Amino acid sequence: MIPFAAVEVGDDLPPLRLTLSAGQVRAYAEAANMPGGRFMSDAAAQAEGLPGQIAPGNFSLALFGRLLTAWAPSARLFRLSATFRALVRPGVPLIASAVVTEKHASDHGAFVECDLVLESGDGDRLVTGTATLAFD
């Protein structure tokens, strides 16, 4: 666990590197009650005019949450937002990363702001976002 006092603006969080499988994307969509064909198979996604199966946007948010909670497991995820710039596809190496952009404490608590990026192994920015973590 990283204590609030040890966090510095400009700190890079350890990146999360992974490749989603088609089965993981399908299982996530089913668990999230998102039955769209685009999340189930290449064939169904192509029938909708897409290049192949895609991950739900919420899955990208979950990856950001995983990145943040791995870094600061006792912090609370206070706010999370994202801008979806490109399709997240199974079988593509992904890197989720974050940098601390702000740190502040007040009577309302101790907070850390981060900028987030989910990119392909080739460096294409697929999803960007921001998050606020509340430390106790």
Side-chain angles (χ1 to χ4, degrees), residues 22-70:
Q24 286 174 313
V25 171
R26 188 171 35 261
Y28 180 91
E30 289 170 349
N33 198 25
M34 302 177 78
R38 65 188 64 190
F39 309 132
M40 298 300 153
S41 71
D42 283 338
Q46 289 164 352
E48 295 182 33
L50 295 165
Q53 183 186 19
I54 64 170
N58 294 6
F59 204 156
S60 299
L61 293 173
L63 295 176
F64 284 152
R66 181 175 161 190
L67 170 74
L68 294 164
T69 57

Side-chain angles (χ1 to χ4, degrees), residues 56-117:
N58 294 6
F59 204 156
S60 299
L61 293 173
L63 295 176
F64 284 152
R66 181 175 161 190
L67 170 74
L68 294 164
T69 57
W71 175 67
S74 65
R76 288 175 290 117
L77 185 54
F78 187 75
R79 184 189 54 77
L80 178 63
S81 67
T83 300
F84 302 96
R85 302 166 57 107
L87 300 174
V88 176
R89 308 255 337 261
V92 174
L94 301 172
I95 304 165
S97 60
V99 63
V100 175
T101 57
E102 193 176 322
K103 175 184 173 182
H104 51 90
S106 69
D107 293 341
H108 301 290
F111 298 93
V112 170
E113 308 278 341
C114 295
D115 282 350
L116 308 164
V117 177

